[in-house]
Amino acid sequence: MSAQPEHTPALAAPYAPAPGAPAELLAQLRADRRAERWVPAFEREWAAALEESRRTFSLATLYEVVQVWQARLASAPAVDAFTASGRDEAGFVDMAEVRGRRRR
């Protein structure tokens, strides 16, 4: 009789972008209408992640930068559509105001 379980659940593999993903992402950012702001921001974050990677011998920070910017780029059309819809955001709750009321 073995003390080991018969079936060990597979752990989810960590996100690892394709080797060319950063270059493809940068090309997409350069083609976007927000390129003037987004490209320098991506390049700053990428440079910081590279430095972190050199220090820690881990690619996790690099992967995270790619994943965050892919999500940002993918969600941009939905954000644009919401902004263009003219919806009034005045009815939303200001959490800073709510927190201020609790302290009183």
Side-chain angles (χ1 to χ4, degrees):
M1 186 173 206
S2 172
Q4 297 294 326
E6 290 182 26
H7 172 70
T8 305
L11 298 175
Y15 171 78
E24 291 172 16
L25 180 58
L26 186 55
Q28 291 174 339
L29 291 171
R30 286 182 175 143
D32 193 272
R33 67 179 181 81
R34 301 164 193 83
E36 187 176 306
R37 290 173 303 172
W38 280 13
V39 169
F42 172 78
E43 289 174 340
R44 277 191 307 274
E45 289 181 29
W46 184 254
L50 276 174
E51 189 56 39
E52 174 77 11
S53 179
R54 287 183 187 114
R55 244 182 354 86
T56 63
F57 298 100
S58 171
L59 299 175
T61 307
L62 293 169
Y63 292 169
E64 183 180 333
V65 168
V66 170
Q67 188 174 18
V68 165
W69 278 95
Q70 285 173 333
R72 196 170 282 158
L73 195 58
S75 64
V79 172
D80 290 343
F82 178 81
T83 304
S85 72
R87 294 191 178 146
D88 181 15
E89 296 180 27
F92 285 90
V93 175
D94 181 0
M95 291 308 294
E97 185 178 322
V98 170
R99 286 185 200 105
R101 286 184 193 161
R102 281 191 219 154
R103 292 181 192 160
R104 294 179 191 165

